[in-house]
Amino acid sequence: MSEIIYKAQNIKKTYVEGKVKTQVLKGVNLEICKDEITAIIGQSGSGKSTLLHILGTLDTPDTGSLEFKGTELLKLSNQKKAQFRNLNLGFVYQFHHLLGDFTALENVMMPLLIANVPVKEAKLKAKEYLQKVGLSHRVNFRPNELSGGERQRVAIARAIVNKPDLILADEPTGNLDAQNAQEVFSIFSHLVKTEHVAVVMVTHDQNLASKCDKIYKMIDGEIDA
Ligand code: ADP
Ligand code: MG
């Protein structure tokens, strides 16, 4: 069995809006392993995005523990959490969230520049990662000059250029046709093998989920392995 890099235990989350309380996560436990793609499936509204945000330290649970390689993330200050995210996590969303005024290359350089990597080095690294996702011929294109599949590949290059341990992807193929969805999945599979990153992918695509190393199913705020 692969090394466990991330362990979430008894994660609970209730949203309160006015007098209405909604318990979205009811004590979720999960383990994420190195060199694996973990799928999270489940109906719309079952709490998948909430869980992913919490795993990404972008939202805080009411109780529980998030142990990442021996560090309890919930004890970190906001500043340390931001630093943790920048160094260890990559995010990919359903909609690419690329910056429209910047080229593919500049978008991929962004996390490196934020991490204070010198511009020249950032440019080389970004090119290398665009090549890894098969976009060497698109480095100077802006998002609106790229296809949906290409944009997602840029988003993946941006998520991985910092060499994170974990990529959190929320329906990364949700906006793509079957062929592009398969291509994006193949890129994740390839990166897991070559870059030794772990991927957690929320998906509605049964076919893709079945190709993952592990599947968790969210049902009404609870999770089944
Ligand atoms: P999924 O990603 O599985 O579709 P979500 O995690 O987005 O589900 O949402 C789960 C439930 O939590 C939904 O009922 C949603 O309306 C509610 N919810 C999500 N985010 C918030 C929020 N910020 N405030 C209040 N309710 C929320
Ligand atoms: Mg969602």
Side-chain angles (χ1 to χ4, degrees):
M1 188 171 156
S2 308
E3 179 193 342
I4 295 169
I5 60 164
Y6 201 0
K7 204 168 178 171
Q9 282 180 297
N10 197 27
I11 298 296
K12 294 185 183 174
K13 180 74 181 176
T14 298
Y15 285 117
V16 184
E17 274 178 299
K19 286 183 181 163
V20 183
K21 284 188 187 172
T22 317
Q23 191 175 17
V24 180
L25 301 176
K26 299 175 181 170
V28 166
N29 299 300
L30 95 173
E31 288 175 353
I32 296 161
C33 293
K34 196 180 167 185
D35 300 341
E36 285 191 1
I37 305 185
T38 299
I40 299 179
I41 59 171
Q43 290 195 339
S44 186
S46 59
K48 305 182 298 298
S49 293
T50 302
L51 177 60
L52 219 63
H53 285 145
I54 287 174
L55 292 175
T57 72
L58 296 166
D59 199 354
T60 314
D62 304 327
T63 60
S65 145
L66 292 177
E67 192 187 322
F68 190 93
K69 289 187 160 183
T71 300
E72 175 50 70
L73 301 181
L74 295 174
K75 291 195 178 136
L76 300 180
S77 66
N78 285 340
Q79 196 190 343
K80 289 272 181 213
K81 276 183 191 159
Q83 198 177 35
F84 164 80
R85 283 194 295 274
N86 192 252
L87 291 175
N88 300 286
L89 302 184
F91 293 90
V92 180
Y93 299 94
Q94 178 173 1
F95 300 99
H96 53 84
H97 290 262
L98 298 173
L99 299 170
D101 291 339
F102 293 89
T103 63
L105 183 69
E106 289 163 342
N107 269 283
V108 178
M109 286 170 71
M110 212 64 76
L112 296 169
L113 298 178
I114 290 169
N116 293 319
V117 174
V119 175
K120 244 188 178 168
E121 195 184 326
K123 203 175 249 182
L124 281 177
K125 268 259 129 61
K127 276 188 182 162
E128 180 191 333
Y129 277 83
L130 281 166
Q131 187 186 0
K132 285 183 203 279
V133 299
L135 289 179
S136 291
H137 58 310
R138 294 284 186 264
V139 285
N140 293 319
F141 284 52
R142 287 177 215 284
N144 67 5
E145 299 164 330
L146 299 169
S147 73
E150 287 172 338
R151 282 180 210 140
Q152 273 313 53
R153 286 193 270 157
V154 176
I156 293 170
R158 181 183 56 180
I160 199 166
V161 72
N162 260 355
K163 294 195 154 288
D165 292 312
L166 174 64
I167 290 185
L168 297 171
D170 198 350
E171 302 194 36
T173 67
N175 209 28
L176 302 178
D177 61 40
Q179 190 190 333
N180 277 299
Q182 180 52 54
E183 274 175 28
V184 161
F185 184 78
S186 299
I187 287 170
F188 279 134
S189 303
H190 182 69
L191 292 173
V192 162
K193 290 193 190 91
T194 56
E195 306 284 316
H196 301 292
V197 68
V199 174
V200 176
M201 182 177 80
V202 170
T203 185
H204 281 290
D205 189 326
Q206 277 294 343
N207 174 41
L208 293 187
S210 68
K211 293 177 183 169
C212 292
D213 299 287
K214 200 191 285 168
I215 304 180
Y216 283 105
K217 185 167 189 185
M218 292 278 316
I219 303 173
D220 193 23
E222 301 193 65
I223 206 161
D224 265 340

